[in-house]
Amino acid sequence: MRINKEKRIGQVLFIVEGSSTEFNYLYKIFCGLLGYSYVAKKRNTPDYYVKDSDPYSKVAVVNTRESNIRDISENPKYLDDVFDVLREQYHFPVERSAIYYLFDRDPESNTNIELIEKYIKILANPYDNEDGEQAGQLLLSYPSIESFIVSNFIDETINLYFGLGKEVKNYIGKNKQIQLNKISDKTLIKAAYEFMSYLTAEEITWDIDDFAPASFAVFTKQEANYLLGGGFRLFSMLTLALFQMGILELDK
């Protein structure tokens, strides 16, 4: 496996849940490691952060008005206004961008199981967004986005189980080798192998370009384990986006 740093990804939009961690991870990957252009808008600040580096690869990161997955559809005006600014002021064509929705399956923040199932089914392709509405790929992390950074540094994360996102944060605090500033090409590849190891262990067949059936299988297995009191098996789908964009390349 390799990182293709020459890959031109065009425009990619991430719609995220939180106001800190997701922004930090995505900035580290796309700016710190790959040198892409970047624009970010957080709900708790009026300003946009902009870094122009690569005219052929540009990533935008915005969050929903509230830190909850229901805000994807319940408060569309907030995101529509942000999208208008991206188009008009930053020349970011949202309707011609790959779109990813990066959210947690933390039962303290996202409690509506039926709604999550609905989004898994309809948000199934990052590039199927010709109408600019309800398009994109849902990327769930179990139980939270911090699972991604853990998989960069810890071996056999398929053996780690957590019920809540705050438990993963506590785990990170106790394992000092897990540090944002140490994410590298090597650790991203490691996280990719952890991603694939999980799918293999759960016997889930997957297709990079049609991941929705696998995503639903992951959700079903994770929910069953959680309801039995075992917590969620640590897993983040953020790696999927790197595969789909062609940044992570499997050996031929």
Side-chain angles (χ1 to χ4, degrees):
M1 192 183 305
R2 65 184 288 266
I3 302 286
N4 183 359
K5 291 198 171 185
E6 305 303 317
K7 179 68 177 180
R8 294 178 173 179
I9 63 168
Q11 291 83 29
V12 178
L13 171 65
F14 283 88
I15 299 168
V16 306
E17 179 175 359
S19 292
S20 179
T21 304
E22 294 92 336
F23 286 86
N24 292 337
Y25 290 2
L26 295 174
Y27 183 86
K28 174 63 177 179
I29 295 168
F30 294 113
C31 292
L33 298 182
L34 297 169
Y36 294 167
S37 294
Y38 181 89
V39 55
K41 170 65 173 71
K42 298 181 180 181
R43 58 176 166 257
N44 53 1
T45 176
D47 299 322
Y48 285 69
Y49 173 85
V50 179
K51 183 174 183 179
D52 287 320
S53 303
D54 184 345
Y56 302 105
S57 299
K58 191 169 187 177
V59 174
V61 185
V62 304
N63 49 13
T64 47
R65 191 180 70 174
E66 302 291 338
S67 181
N68 192 294
I69 198 168
R70 68 173 182 270
D71 245 46
I72 291 174
S73 57
E74 286 191 6
N75 291 298
K77 186 179 185 306
Y78 171 79
L79 285 176
D80 287 344
D81 290 344
V82 172
F83 295 164
D84 286 342
V85 174
L86 288 175
R87 293 186 190 97
E88 296 166 10
Q89 296 187 27
Y90 300 103
H91 310 291
F92 193 98
V94 174
E95 64 281 354
R96 298 198 303 275
S97 303
I99 300 177
Y100 290 97
Y101 294 84
L102 185 57
F103 282 79
D104 297 343
R105 178 57 193 105
D106 189 324
E108 283 195 341
S109 61
N110 292 314
T111 60
N112 190 327
I113 304 300
E114 292 76 16
L115 185 61
I116 295 172
E117 289 179 337
K118 171 187 173 182
Y119 286 143
I120 289 173
K121 293 175 182 178
I122 66 173
L123 298 176
N125 189 320
Y127 299 97
D128 184 18
N129 56 354
E130 293 180 0
D131 60 4
E133 295 181 2
Q134 289 300 307
Q137 175 77 60
L138 178 63
L139 305 173
L140 283 175
S141 294
Y142 297 85
S144 63
I145 187 58
E146 285 81 11
S147 297
F148 174 76
I149 195 170
V150 173
S151 68
N152 273 256
F153 298 98
I154 302 298
D155 293 333
E156 298 183 352
T157 53
I158 57 172
N159 296 323
L160 296 177
Y161 294 82
F162 300 96
L164 301 171
K166 61 186 178 184
E167 295 173 8
V168 188
K169 292 179 181 178
N170 290 337
Y171 178 85
I172 292 172
K174 295 176 182 178
N175 290 270
K176 301 304 181 183
Q177 72 270 40
I178 305 174
Q179 295 186 29
L180 176 64
N181 62 3
K182 291 184 178 180
I183 290 179
S184 64
D185 294 3
K186 182 179 179 180
T187 71
L188 288 183
I189 291 172
K190 184 194 178 307
Y193 281 118
E194 295 292 330
F195 173 89
M196 293 188 295
S197 292
Y198 170 88
L199 297 170
T200 299
E202 293 286 15
E203 300 181 335
I204 296 173
T205 302
W206 61 290
D207 183 334
I208 289 174
D209 299 317
D210 182 20
F211 198 81
S215 181
F216 193 80
V218 170
F219 180 77
T220 301
K221 288 176 178 288
Q222 292 277 20
E223 290 301 304
N225 197 72
Y226 178 76
L227 291 174
L228 289 173
F232 297 108
R233 204 172 194 178
L234 189 138
F235 182 68
S236 175
M237 286 176 57
L238 177 54
T239 294
L240 174 66
L242 302 180
F243 275 128
Q244 290 181 334
M245 285 184 266
I247 295 167
L248 279 170
E249 293 184 345
L250 293 169
D251 296 330
K252 295 181 179 180

